[in-house]
Amino acid sequence: MATITGIQPRVLVRASGGPRYVVALAVDALGTGLLRPFLLLYGVTVLRLSAPVTGTAMTVGIVAGLVCMPSVGRWLDRGARSTVVAASMLVRVLGVALLLAAPEGHIWLFATASLFLGIGNQAWPAAHAALVATVAHGRERDTALAGARALRNAALGVGALLATACMAGGTTALRALAAVTALAYLAAAALAWSVHVHAHPAEAAPAKDRDDEPAPRMLALLAANVIYVFCLNVPEIALPLVLVTQLHASPVWPAVVFVSNTALVVTLQVPVTVLMSPFSRRTVLALSGVVLAASYLGFLAATSLGHGWATAAVAAVSVVCTIGEIIYAGSATALVTAIAPTHVLGRALARFQLSTGFGLAVSPAVITTLAPHGPAALWGSLAAATLLSASAVATEKDQATRFSGCRPRARAGL
């Protein structure tokens, strides 16, 4: 029976890579949810490192992980799909193993573990998007990408809840969580590799063209994406900072906002993506910027209210911000997969992930720097930058695809 989104669950699973691959996504996200929220605590509590040193090591690991993306893109353009996905999971197994092996006070093993975890976390999105783009096409592919994001957020949430419940066990529990995470990544890698999805770039273009033709530059899209991804850190960083330190609200409120954000993404990501399908992906991505900018201005207005109303108003506006995030997530990667020629898809996705990773890396520093200067500095700056980004996305022209005589893929509705 078809769902309210107009797509059958079996069709969605097939478009997402098949049942085994969907299970692999869920297991991988569950493992990530177990460890990611408490990696800092692992360094501080188990390894007895200082918080600044631990945080710096984690940041360096995330940023250094971006260096692998050009190689990942070239690997994907040689036709690898499920192998790259499995490799992104296996490298995280190595990272967790190093965590478990690190003795107290050993910063270099922790930093190396963070590096391998960063490599896996950066490589996975591009590899996953390339795999889905190989097994599904058109709007079915967009819905599959949206479905995977909803599933991943649900599994991340479950993993985080399980980890929270285990926190009472102290350092022993944290080590156990790390071990379970490694097993989850290992199982997910085996399942992902078993689907044996491989592209055939030789069928897309002659060898000389594959070697010579660069990926689409997408300069405006990549620059705009750096700003767009700030929205992903709004519920985790900006709103807790504003609610607790500026509005002096109970810590319960940031938790409510975060849980609401996760629940809305899980339930609405697929329906909203399908709802937006009659419009071009570029138009939808520009629209998401407008919605996000409107929510930032809403936060600015909400914080100007009296303390009795401001907290609830910020929580209400966060729903609008989440809707903007959902529209963005449902259109951004889909647009890249639509405008990139098949034989350079890997490099295009790698460049997009570089912009995403860079935005996620710098956004905490930008947010925490702007916030002390007042709501206008924080939310006004984010709104202006996001509107400028939306305008750049809307006006950028898609690079003409050069196939040297080969037939291009259908490009309607980009």
Side-chain angles (χ1 to χ4, degrees), residues 291-316:
V291 175
L292 288 171
S295 72
Y296 298 152
L297 294 176
F299 287 131
L300 176 59
T303 54
S304 66
L305 301 175
H307 283 285
W309 293 96
T311 300
V314 167

Side-chain angles (χ1 to χ4, degrees), residues 216-255:
R217 298 182 69 185
M218 309 180 296
L219 294 181
L221 175 59
L222 296 178
N225 188 54
V226 173
I227 304 300
Y228 269 99
V229 297
F230 275 54
C231 72
L232 302 180
N233 275 330
V234 165
E236 295 187 27
I237 296 173
L239 294 186
L241 188 65
V242 169
L243 287 169
V244 175
T245 66
Q246 295 182 3
L247 299 181
H248 308 292
S250 165
V252 172
W253 280 101

